Amino acid sequence: MTRLQVLVTREVFPETLDCLARHFEVEANPSDTPFTPAQLAERLSSKDGALITLTERIDAVLLARCPKLRAVCNIAVGFNNIDLNACQARGVMATNTPGVLDDSTADFTWALILATARRVTEAEQYLRAGQWTGWKLKQFLGVDVHHATLGILGMGRVGQAVARRARGFDMNVLYHNSRRLSAEVEKSCHAAYVDMDELLARADILTVHTPYSPATHHILGAAQFAKMKPGAILINAARGGVVDDAALIEVLKRGPLAAAGLDVFENEPALHPDFLKLTNVVLTPHIASSSEATRRRMAMLAAENLVAALTTGKPPNLLTPPA
Ligand code: DGY
């Protein structure tokens, strides 16, 4: 009997491939260089399923070239790289990897908060450049995280995990979300619901945890930054595009923001060149979920989704049912 054929678009872990190979004939991209759209279309045109990452755009044009395709399984919780309507119209199941990366992403959000408030990367660069001549009372004065007000925009699983960690810093935690959480969840997060304007006005540190969609495009831009406190800090480990990067650069140069910690950008990896000229930003290359254990779990969950999609039609993390 001919086996179903699947494509793995980027380098993954050996156990991910082993899992798929037990069920399918697997064509895996041996390198970690993303396929061009043309290469992707050519390789996917004969496949029944695909294990993909956020660097692959799955849209109507691509799907029109893949008549056999029944499932695309993202190794990510975010799925703005997949046109779900186009998938649904073609009967292609799409899945993501919720739940397994919340804690690692929340941990990393805290790495950005602390590094930004206490100027860790800026100070390290100074030291590595051989500029440190000795202790000074006013050297790299930062701002305190403890007892500050943390504002969380987007209170899903990751936002809640960030909130729970704030307790250890005795912070006052405010949040805004499209829908208010239950009193029980608010209590477990020690977080109070406020409207967007109040969140902007009161946060010393604002961290964003919304998915990217047309509804959240530039949810933080010039108008919102103007409402923030002088000296406030912005953290984004969610998705490029929820923040207007050009507007952020302006307020990092002229205020009111003091600093930003950013793991995600518009047009990744071609981030706005002005970010590199600023000393008051901590910049990391979209690694918030990248602990080894978590990235392995994400890849395995995506593989399990693909196996279930093609063998039972019922993957655990289905984003859209087949048409
Ligand atoms: C996700 O899961 O959406 C992350 O951004 C991947 O790094």
Side-chain angles (χ1 to χ4, degrees), residues 51-277:
L51 199 72
I52 62 168
T53 71
L54 51 82
T55 53
E56 283 76 54
R57 170 102 198 116
I58 307 294
D59 58 16
V61 176
L62 175 71
L63 293 178
R65 293 195 50 193
C66 308
K68 289 172 67 190
L69 194 67
R70 285 168 50 210
V72 285
C73 299
N74 221 19
I75 309 179
V77 66
F79 50 85
N80 51 302
N81 56 313
I82 305 175
D83 181 337
L84 294 184
N85 289 328
C87 286
Q88 182 139 359
R90 290 229 161 231
V92 174
M93 291 171 269
T95 66
N96 67 340
T97 60
V100 295
L101 49 85
D102 307 338
D103 283 321
S104 296
T105 305
D107 287 352
F108 193 83
T109 300
W110 274 97
L112 287 179
I113 291 172
L114 292 166
T116 307
R118 300 301 305 274
R119 304 174 63 181
V120 173
T121 56
E122 193 188 345
E124 186 186 358
Q125 279 161 16
Y126 166 90
L127 183 149
R128 284 181 186 272
Q131 292 173 289
W132 189 31
T133 52
W135 187 90
K136 291 182 189 154
L137 186 64
K138 293 196 271 182
Q139 199 156 46
F140 289 104
L141 297 176
V143 294
D144 281 327
V145 170
H146 66 84
H147 296 97
T149 295
L150 178 67
I152 302 179
L153 178 59
M155 198 65 157
R157 288 179 306 263
V158 176
Q160 290 173 33
V162 170
R164 286 194 298 273
R165 285 157 173 75
R167 251 204 122 186
F169 291 89
D170 296 316
M171 296 181 90
N172 175 30
V173 181
L174 307 175
Y175 79 94
H176 182 72
N177 197 43
S178 49
R179 100 194 133 71
R180 188 171 176 171
L181 303 178
S182 68
E184 196 185 336
V185 177
E186 283 184 356
K187 199 171 164 209
S188 74
C189 293
H190 298 270
Y193 177 83
V194 291
D195 66 26
M196 180 75 167
D197 278 353
E198 189 173 348
L199 187 81
L200 295 170
R202 289 180 57 193
D204 297 308
I205 298 165
L206 178 67
T207 181
V208 56
H209 297 285
T210 59
Y212 179 77
S213 71
T216 60
H217 177 72
H218 288 186
I219 197 173
L220 292 173
Q224 290 71 32
F225 296 140
K227 294 177 181 170
M228 291 177 72
K229 274 185 179 174
I233 288 173
L234 177 74
I235 303 296
N236 184 8
R239 265 295 180 278
V242 298
V243 173
D244 178 341
D245 284 353
L248 175 61
I249 286 164
E250 282 310 303
V251 291
L252 287 169
K253 285 179 184 165
R254 290 175 239 297
L257 266 62
L262 307 171
D263 184 50
V264 289
F265 307 89
E266 294 189 90
N267 306 318
E268 289 174 17
L271 69 163
H272 195 302
D274 281 9
F275 277 130
L276 302 179
K277 298 181 195 149

Side-chain angles (χ1 to χ4, degrees), residues 2 24 27 32 77 89 186 203 236 269 283 299 306 320:
T2 43
F24 311 122
E27 179 185 335
D32 206 14
V77 66
E186 283 184 356
N236 184 8
L283 305 168
L306 186 51
T320 184

